[in-house]
């Protein structure tokens, strides 16, 4: 068992916080198309939920990654996908590289207030022509004195309309694609940053998502994270935690979808008997719950190995692939068992159906995960030299 007494206490505290401070407001935030990130993150920071694995000297709890899994799994109790995703960006997507590779200045100036909830963070990787193909990003930074001058754009940026800083991947040289990129902390109040638009999404409605333009944005070179030219490698490491986080965060919503449809089909009669009495339905739900438990075992194993310092690239990719596909499968199946009510927005399954579709796209599409797995299986076609 990956969770001990301290994990369970953390889970209990966060569950109580979700019930009191988040779920009562979710429907309102979904209608508004955003939630008050600064207000909510400050409350989370005050409770220590934003830095469980971050260094103690910067306000974190200094715990191992199994505690981040406990956090992500518990965040799945939130009755939408947008809010937990935004929290995950803060904890497991935009800040791991700051904690691992950032200078004392970077960690004191940006990581510490992010852990405290005083700053909202976003991660700037994707661009209109570079989503899963990270190496294809075009944003670039040139040196000018002690500064970088940044030009380019970023797309699909979670927290982008409210963020105080971005952990931004940019090209800092004209070298090989995997060696030309750097991660730089960009203050979002810098002159030259334009919020082009808040994106109108199918799901994740309560999470503000932005397209951003950068025109001659001046950033001090001391905002560089780690070494110049290592940004691609650093970002790949951040993706590992993002993918493990996604697997954990998917568990509770999938369990809830199954349990909710069981309750509904017990009370809904068709042709003289409850729907749940149809063998196809109760057998299918048993299969789906078995799949959820398989996902949990995979996620727990991957995190267990990660804590021990092992390379979990393949396992994390498998978990990310599985949570995306299983979310689509369970949302679709459960919606079907509601019949006409499953097509009504008043039925909670519709929110999972819309929100969950992103699981197979964001953080690396299914096809990218398959490519990574095949690479580790040594089944990818060898690149031919001309």
């Amino acid at each position: 068992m990956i969770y001990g007494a301290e994990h369970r206490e953390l889970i209990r505290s966060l569950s109580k916080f979700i019930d009191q401070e988040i779920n009562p407001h979710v429907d309102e935030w979904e209608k508004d198309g955003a939630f008050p990130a600064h207000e909510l993150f400050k409350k989370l920071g005050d409770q220590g939920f934003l830095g469980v694995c971050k260094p103690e000297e910067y306000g974190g709890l200094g715990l191992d990654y199994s505690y981040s899994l406990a956090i992500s799994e518990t965040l799945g109790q939130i009755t939408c996908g947008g809010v937990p995703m935004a929290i995950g960006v803060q904890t497991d997507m935009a800040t791991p590289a700051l904690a691992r590779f950032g200078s004392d200045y970077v960690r004191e100036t940006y990581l510490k207030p992010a852990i405290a909830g005083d700053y909202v963070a976003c991660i700037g990787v994707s661009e209109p022509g570079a989503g899963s193909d990270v190496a294809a990003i075009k944003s670039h930074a040139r040196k000018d004195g002690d500064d970088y001058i940044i030009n380019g754009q970023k797309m699909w940026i979670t927290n982008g309309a409210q963020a105080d800083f971005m952990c931004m991947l940019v090209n800092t040289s004209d070298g090989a694609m995997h060696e030309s990129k750097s991660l730089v902390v960009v203050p979002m109040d810098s002159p030259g940053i334009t919020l082009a638009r808040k994106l109108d999404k199918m799901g994740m409605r309560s999470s503000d998502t932005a397209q951003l333009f950068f025109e001659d944005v001046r950033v001090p070179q001391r905002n560089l994270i780690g070494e110049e030219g290592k940004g691609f490698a650093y970002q790949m490491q951040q993706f590992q935690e993002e993918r493990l986080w996604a697997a954990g965060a998917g568990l509770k919503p999938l369990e809830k979808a199954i349990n909710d449809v069981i309750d509904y089909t017990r009370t809904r009669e068709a042709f003289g008997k409850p729907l749940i009495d149809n063998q196809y339905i109760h057998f299918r739900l048993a299969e789906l719950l078995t799949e959820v438990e398989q996902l949990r075992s995979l996620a727990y194993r991957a995190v267990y190995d990660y804590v021990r310092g092992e390379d979990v690239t393949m396992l994390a990719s498998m978990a990310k692939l599985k949570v995306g596909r299983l979310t689509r499968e369970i949302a679709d199946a459960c919606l079907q068992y509601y019949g006409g009510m499953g097509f009504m927005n008043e039925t909670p399954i519709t929110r999972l159906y819309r929100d969950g579709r992103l699981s197979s796209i964001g953080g690396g599409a299914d096809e990218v995960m398959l490519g990574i797995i095949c690479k580790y299986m040594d089944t990818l076609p060898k690149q031919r030299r001309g």
Side-chain angles (χ1 to χ4, degrees):
M1 181 64 184
I2 198 169
Y3 295 152
E6 292 183 357
H7 295 86
R8 289 191 288 273
E9 179 59 26
L10 182 66
I11 290 168
R12 186 199 65 78
S13 297
L14 181 54
S15 295
K16 181 179 179 180
F17 181 92
I18 290 169
D19 290 342
Q20 294 178 347
E21 301 288 348
I22 298 180
N23 279 343
H25 308 289
V26 163
D27 289 346
E28 176 187 353
W29 295 341
E30 286 280 298
K31 290 178 183 177
D32 292 344
F35 71 96
H38 284 91
E39 177 185 335
L40 180 60
F41 282 15
K42 183 56 182 170
K43 292 178 180 179
L44 287 163
D46 287 345
Q47 296 293 319
F49 295 132
L50 298 181
V52 294
C53 296
K54 298 301 191 296
E56 292 181 77
E57 57 266 39
Y58 298 102
L61 301 182
L63 302 171
D64 66 51
Y65 195 79
S66 65
Y67 290 86
S68 273
L69 179 67
I71 291 284
S72 68
E73 188 172 353
T74 307
L75 289 173
Q77 296 175 16
I78 297 174
T79 55
C80 70
V83 175
M85 178 180 68
I87 297 169
V89 167
Q90 181 90 353
T91 59
D92 289 67
M93 303 174 205
T95 54
L98 276 72
R100 190 173 290 118
F101 305 109
S103 65
D104 290 341
Y105 167 78
V106 164
R107 290 188 286 182
E108 184 69 32
T109 307
Y110 298 103
L111 178 64
K112 187 174 182 178
I115 293 170
D118 294 322
Y119 279 2
V120 174
C122 65
I123 179 74
V125 176
S126 295
E127 299 178 3
S132 292
D133 186 6
V134 175
I137 66 164
K138 301 299 183 185
S139 297
H140 60 88
R142 62 175 177 83
K143 292 180 179 178
D144 182 53
D146 293 329
D147 297 334
Y148 287 118
I149 306 297
I150 296 175
N151 285 277
Q153 60 176 303
K154 293 296 177 180
M155 186 71 168
W156 305 297
I157 305 304
T158 300
N159 300 341
Q162 300 185 70
D164 296 287
F165 72 86
M166 172 183 285
C167 177
M168 185 176 185
L169 188 68
V170 292
N171 290 292
T172 48
S173 75
D174 296 324
M177 287 195 300
H178 296 149
E179 300 173 0
S180 62
K181 295 167 178 58
S182 302
L183 283 176
V184 180
V185 178
V186 180
M188 294 302 288
D189 60 357
S190 302
I193 299 177
T194 302
L195 174 61
R197 58 186 173 125
K198 289 180 64 175
L199 303 177
D200 184 12
K201 311 182 298 296
M202 177 177 79
M204 302 294 192
R205 301 293 299 179
S206 55
S207 170
D208 68 272
T209 310
Q211 181 180 17
L212 297 158
F213 292 152
F214 299 78
E215 184 176 359
D216 292 333
V217 177
R218 185 173 290 271
V219 177
Q221 288 183 40
R222 64 180 177 176
N223 282 21
L224 175 70
I225 299 172
E227 298 180 41
E228 195 169 86
K230 297 287 185 67
F232 185 86
Y234 296 161
Q235 185 53 44
M236 292 304 104
Q237 289 183 265
Q238 289 198 131
F239 275 145
Q240 296 289 61
E241 295 192 3
E242 177 175 352
R243 291 161 186 169
L244 293 172
W245 186 94
L251 294 169
K252 296 293 184 184
L254 299 183
E255 289 178 334
K256 184 177 187 302
I258 293 170
N259 289 328
D260 284 352
V261 82
I262 289 172
D263 291 341
Y264 179 78
T265 54
R266 284 191 195 282
T267 61
R268 177 76 167 90
E269 289 196 0
F271 306 106
K273 63 179 180 181
L275 286 175
I276 194 68
D277 288 355
N278 288 281
Q279 187 183 73
Y280 178 82
I281 293 178
H282 58 247
F283 273 15
R284 182 65 178 133
L285 294 175
E287 290 174 341
L288 293 175
L289 187 60
T290 301
E291 292 285 320
V292 175
E293 287 304 316
Q294 290 176 331
L295 172 61
R296 175 176 279 109
S297 295
L298 175 57
Y300 282 18
R301 179 194 166 189
V303 169
Y304 177 77
D305 287 352
Y306 188 61
V307 170
R308 293 164 58 199
E310 297 184 15
D311 179 7
V312 297
T313 304
M314 185 167 77
L315 291 177
S317 301
M318 288 176 169
K320 171 64 170 60
L321 174 69
K322 185 64 175 177
V323 72
R325 292 193 166 181
L326 187 57
T327 299
R328 293 157 63 185
E329 183 179 9
I330 288 178
D332 185 73
C334 289
L335 189 150
Q336 183 71 21
Y337 299 147
Y338 281 97
M341 288 305 299
F343 203 64
M344 301 295 104
N345 279 332
E346 66 193 74
T347 308
I349 190 63
T350 62
R351 189 174 290 168
L352 178 65
Y353 190 89
R354 296 190 305 271
D355 291 353
R357 189 59 183 83
L358 184 62
S359 299
S360 285
I361 301 171
D366 284 1
E367 293 75 14
V368 174
M369 298 302 99
L370 288 166
I372 294 170
I373 296 165
C374 288
K375 181 179 179 181
Y376 274 77
M377 295 172 65
D378 196 27
T379 58
L380 280 181
K382 299 295 188 284
Q383 186 174 4
R384 292 188 176 90
R385 295 182 178 180

